[in-house]
């Protein structure tokens, strides 16, 4: 039986694992890419080593959370939904940033 905490943990795991992908891909391509450590955070470019570290941290945290959950169908579904939701958010944010916008940072204005 899945608990709400386990489902939330699985959703967060899915989101972290998906977030690891664009940072890792940019890092191995050797190109700068926005990260939370840039100026401004999430919009300015960070060098490949920073993105590699951020990708690895996301992947390790996501994998650790996934090992603690995702045993039931509800938890596996939560992991997929969390990953899809993060993918949609990242597509909007990085699409906006790559087009010269401010991504999610511009929503509060």
């Amino acid at each position: 039986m899945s608990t709400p905490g386990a489902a939330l943990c699985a959703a967060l795991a899915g989101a972290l694992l998906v977030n690891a992908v664009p940072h890792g891909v940019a890092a191995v391509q050797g190109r700068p890419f926005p990260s939370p450590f840039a100026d401004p955070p999430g919009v300015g470019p960070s060098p490949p080593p920073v993105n590699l570290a951020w990708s690895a941290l996301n992947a390790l945290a996501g994998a650790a959370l996934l090992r603690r959950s995702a045993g039931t169908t509800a938890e596996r579904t939560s992991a997929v939904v969390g990953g899809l939701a993060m993918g949609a958010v990242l597509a909007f944010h990085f699409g906006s940033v790559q087009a010269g916008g401010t991504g999610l940072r511009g929503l509060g204005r």
Side-chain angles (χ1 to χ4, degrees):
M1 173 147 193
S2 179
T3 65
L8 184 60
C9 187
L12 181 57
L16 287 168
L17 290 169
V18 167
N19 191 46
V21 174
H23 296 284
V25 169
V28 299
Q29 289 179 338
R31 60 184 179 86
F33 191 75
S35 82
F37 311 105
D39 185 26
V43 176
S46 288
V50 170
N51 276 291
L52 182 61
W54 184 238
S55 176
L57 183 66
N58 276 268
L60 289 170
L65 287 172
L66 200 58
R67 289 179 59 91
R68 296 180 57 131
S69 61
T72 68
T73 300
E75 291 164 3
R76 288 190 298 273
T77 301
S78 293
V80 169
V81 169
L84 289 173
M86 179 59 94
V89 168
L90 293 176
F92 169 79
H93 176 73
F94 291 130
S96 171
V97 169
Q98 296 296 321
T102 57
L104 295 172
R105 293 179 59 90
L107 291 180
R109 297 181 182 146

